[in-house]
Amino acid sequence: MSDTDSGDGTEIEEISGPDVEAIEFYGGRWMSVVPIGVFILWAIVQSGLFGIGDTTGLVAGMLVALIVGMFFAKGDWKNYANTIFDGMTKRVAATAVVAWLWAGMFSNTLQAGGFVGGLVWAANAADVGGALFPVATFILAALFTTGIGTGYGATVAFSALFFPAGILLGANPVLLFGAILSGAVFGDNLAPVSDTTIVSAVTQDADIGGVVASRFKYAVIAAVLSLAAYVFAGNAMGGLNISQQAQNLFVQNSEPAGLLHLVSMLVVIVTAVMGRHIVEAVSWGLIVAVVFNVVFDLAPLSRVLLFKVPKTSAAASWAGSLPIAEVVAAKNAGVTGSIYNGAAGFFPLIVLVLLIVAGSEIMIRGGGFEAIQEWLLENVATGVRKAETTMVVGTALVNSMITINTAAEIAIAPYIARIGQRYNINSYRRANILDANTSALGYIFPWGGGVLIGFATLQRLPQQYGWFTDAMVVQPVQVWPYVFHGWFLFGVFLLSALTGFGLEYTTDRKSKDVTRL
Amino acid sequence: MSMFSKFLTGMSFRSTTPTFEAGEEIEVYVTELDEESGELVAQVGETRLHFENGEADIVGCRVLATVESFDDAEHRGRVTHRKTLSQGSF
């Protein structure tokens, strides 16, 4: 990603940087696709065939892929190795890493403050029955994900709390799981702090605030259709016959005070749309969330940050009196809390993405990227409508193959940028095509990361509730037709590409500096 | 642009052949060096804008240009390269 001109007449010579050395491959430029190709194959086998949604496993796959690719490089391998360094230090990757770390801290702090409990309380207060429970779940999951930015986190939280409650109220389990995943799709697509939103904006040289505002129209159309579909299906599809424990379960998990974090969410969303820097916007939201947790007794400071000081430490005698420290056995020493866990949760994904960007850089310098692009432009994307359709279907296909949707998004992002720029399609439009189809397809197919994480959560429910049997767990292969928002969002973009709805050109309006939200 | 209008922009079915006015200042990505005419071209949808000036090394770059003339019927225009703003992404 290049820097943008600040208006002072910066010339191309000053911003292009030093010349990069091309890599030659045995078998021609197509062989530079080997690292990314081997990784995609690994991802399909690991997630699609074996059903393992382990991000660190994909890191191992990408490392192996980079080593395999080296054997096809001609001459001194030093050039190949240096390209890995150059790829990993690209600004596009660093920007996403910073954003994920901040978003992770924020979302974990909201969860520590009982935000989901507040949503459950609201559903209870509104007296939502079994038929309407899926549509209510969709709305609340969408709201929650839009606030915290992580569809995976929302899927876990809602599968653990809303799913059993909905089953007890008589909601259809498959439909309910589909509604949770649909909410995750909505939020992943729209949230300013969502990892996929951030990647879509930074890879297409667009500001995040503008991207969020411009994709609102597509998201709302798909959401209205989804709402209608969940209301209809909720009434048409019956639930399971379970004993009357619903009210108890609701009361057990309901904490209306958690709804105060709607303010924390709004702080981030409003600050983002106002165009403030990502670090600033999320930091303000985080500060408000921590203050609310402590002041309104939603969670103690130790849930936000806690030093587990070993008894053997010289500070053990006084550290225990601090609100953010406790003295523990030496083997349990460490640091924990929402700030720690929120950031740490992204570490495997960060490493994976840095390595994928390195693999992409090898493909660019080896000519593979250019070869694929030339083929697409000459044979498929031969007009602006066909180019947009190629972008929509291409993004959907890659996301249906790679489990972690953010990783898939980064892999396809350069193609979206190049094909879109070929026809001067506006950066907002490109970012929207990229993100909507990434968000949608990542939660539909049985091997999708969101589906697997939700399924893993449902599998733990029989141990938590005596009445919950293994037969009530929804299998990943059952849910794909019911992720309505995912399907409608994909459909809206396919129709938009074919008809020109929402299409904007670079000449229509400019994006703000990409380092702003 | 107000915050409200940010949400509504693009709520229409856009033509594949956008039009331009002479004198208009635009930002475009330079698409290619046209082999027949030897001129740089920026393709905006199906509309082609030919550059009066500029070197081949700006293909793929985002540039500031001024529209000198535009033919609505042919969807063709002539533009002048003013300044190179940035390289394209990736």
Side-chain angles (χ1 to χ4, degrees):
Chain A
M1 191 177 64
S2 62
D3 293 329
T4 50
D5 191 343
S6 57
D8 57 2
T10 307
E11 293 301 324
I12 193 68
E13 290 78 12
E14 295 170 354
I15 56 177
S16 60
D19 287 338
V20 291
E21 200 174 334
I23 310 172
E24 281 192 57
F25 283 84
Y26 294 110
R29 58 182 184 167
W30 279 98
M31 295 309 288
S32 64
V33 178
V34 166
I36 291 288
V38 168
F39 168 70
I40 290 175
L41 201 64
W42 180 297
I44 291 170
V45 171
Q46 182 195 307
S47 55
L49 199 62
F50 297 153
I52 304 169
D54 179 3
T55 309
T56 309
L58 296 178
V59 170
M62 196 62 224
L63 286 169
V64 170
L66 286 170
I67 294 169
V68 170
M70 194 158 59
F71 284 92
F72 293 91
K74 281 183 180 176
D76 191 351
W77 286 354
K78 185 181 169 188
N79 188 22
Y80 181 97
N82 280 334
T83 305
I84 295 176
F85 282 79
D86 292 343
M88 293 180 81
T89 51
K90 271 180 170 272
R91 189 180 170 85
V92 58
T95 308
V97 167
V98 168
W100 288 338
L101 292 174
W102 257 255
M105 290 189 291
F106 177 65
S107 62
N108 241 270
T109 303
L110 250 65
Q111 290 185 44
F115 187 44
V116 172
L119 295 179
V120 174
W121 177 87
N124 184 35
D127 197 22
V128 178
L132 288 178
F133 203 88
V135 72
T137 300
F138 168 58
I139 293 168
L140 294 173
L143 183 68
F144 179 69
T145 315
T146 305
I148 68 168
T150 160
Y152 287 179
T155 301
V156 170
F158 275 74
S159 297
L161 281 168
F162 265 67
F163 190 82
I167 296 296
L168 283 168
L169 278 175
N172 181 278
V174 180
L175 195 61
L176 193 53
F177 191 32
I180 291 170
L181 295 172
S182 280
V185 170
F186 182 93
D188 241 4
N189 176 224
L190 203 60
V193 291
S194 156
D195 50 1
T196 61
T197 300
I198 292 160
V199 168
S200 73
V202 298
T203 57
Q204 305 305 314
D205 284 337
D207 61 292
I208 296 178
V211 156
V212 169
S214 65
R215 73 182 41 160
F216 201 73
K217 51 186 173 290
Y218 310 108
V220 166
I221 292 169
V224 168
L225 294 170
S226 302
L227 284 171
Y230 280 117
V231 169
F232 176 78
N235 284 288
M237 297 167 69
L240 305 171
N241 224 351
I242 315 283
S243 62
Q244 298 294 313
Q245 296 181 42
Q247 204 61 35
N248 294 341
L249 189 74
F250 266 100
V251 172
Q252 197 179 329
N253 293 298
S254 291
E255 287 291 340
L259 289 173
L260 280 168
H261 279 309
L262 284 170
V263 178
S264 313
M265 268 175 46
L266 282 175
V267 167
V268 176
I269 293 170
V270 170
T271 319
V273 176
M274 282 170 65
R276 307 308 287 263
H277 195 285
I278 183 168
V279 171
E280 182 185 344
V282 184
S283 293
W284 279 120
L286 178 64
I287 290 166
V288 170
V290 172
V291 169
F292 276 20
N293 278 353
V294 175
V295 171
F296 296 105
D297 204 21
L298 300 173
L301 209 51
S302 58
R303 291 281 304 279
V304 177
L305 189 63
L306 181 65
F307 293 92
K308 293 181 166 182
V309 183
K311 281 179 183 170
T312 51
S313 166
S317 57
W318 54 268
S321 60
L322 298 173
I324 56 166
E326 69 176 14
V327 179
V328 298
K331 65 176 181 178
N332 295 327
V335 182
T336 187
S338 62
I339 287 179
Y340 175 93
N341 295 325
F346 279 106
F347 290 172
L349 187 60
I350 286 170
V351 178
L352 175 64
V353 163
L354 291 176
L355 291 171
I356 290 177
V357 175
S360 300
E361 188 66 13
I362 286 168
M363 204 162 94
I364 290 167
R365 293 193 190 175
F369 183 90
E370 204 175 0
I372 293 174
Q373 186 182 287
E374 280 172 12
W375 184 85
L376 283 173
L377 288 171
E378 284 170 17
N379 298 287
V380 187
T382 51
V384 67
R385 295 277 192 264
K386 286 181 180 174
E388 287 210 315
T389 307
T390 304
M391 288 156 70
V392 170
V393 176
T395 306
L397 277 177
V398 171
N399 273 281
S400 64
M401 287 190 296
I402 301 179
T403 290
I404 308 296
N405 59 358
T406 315
E409 186 178 32
I410 289 203
I412 191 75
Y415 295 95
I416 301 302
R418 287 279 182 96
I419 294 170
Q421 285 169 7
R422 174 82 171 73
Y423 292 95
N424 271 290
I425 295 167
N426 194 286
S427 56
Y428 291 138
R429 172 77 163 184
R430 284 187 270 122
N432 290 339
I433 288 175
L434 177 61
D435 189 47
N437 296 290
T438 293
S439 303
L441 273 296
Y443 291 89
I444 289 179
F445 293 110
W447 54 86
V451 181
L452 290 174
I453 283 174
F455 174 59
T457 309
L458 297 186
Q459 281 181 308
R460 289 198 291 270
L461 292 176
Q463 286 100 57
Q464 293 168 28
Y465 304 104
W467 55 268
F468 199 104
T469 65
D470 287 333
M472 295 177 191
V473 175
V474 179
Q475 299 300 312
V477 75
Q478 292 176 285
V479 77
W480 66 268
Y482 301 100
V483 189
F484 294 144
H485 190 70
W487 286 117
F488 281 130
L489 199 56
F490 173 65
V492 164
F493 269 91
L494 197 55
L495 279 175
S496 297
L498 292 169
T499 60
F501 174 75
L503 171 60
E504 290 181 84
Y505 297 107
T506 51
T507 50
D508 291 339
R509 59 170 166 157
K510 286 183 279 188
S511 173
K512 287 181 185 171
D513 191 325
V514 73
T515 57
R516 294 163 70 85
L517 255 174
Chain B
M1 183 178 284
S2 71
M3 189 182 290
F4 188 63
S5 62
K6 274 185 181 178
F7 288 87
L8 297 178
T9 303
M11 288 278 279
S12 61
F13 293 90
R14 193 77 156 91
S15 164
T16 58
T17 51
T19 57
F20 298 92
E21 299 289 333
E24 197 177 333
E25 199 167 72
I26 56 173
E27 279 187 24
V28 283
Y29 288 97
V30 181
T31 306
E32 62 184 353
L33 183 65
D34 188 73
E35 287 180 2
E36 281 183 19
S37 64
E39 293 174 333
L40 291 168
V41 172
Q43 183 148 342
V44 186
E46 312 295 342
T47 294
R48 288 176 72 82
L49 302 173
H50 289 254
F51 282 81
E52 302 272 1
N53 57 342
E55 300 297 322
D57 63 357
I58 62 168
V59 170
C61 293
R62 186 168 61 92
V63 304
L64 189 65
T66 304
V67 179
E68 303 298 340
S69 61
F70 191 79
D71 184 337
D72 284 347
E74 294 292 322
H75 313 299
R76 297 285 181 274
R78 297 202 67 80
V79 297
T80 306
H81 169 246
R82 295 291 177 208
K83 190 165 64 175
T84 300
L85 301 172
S86 71
Q87 292 178 298
S89 302
F90 304 97

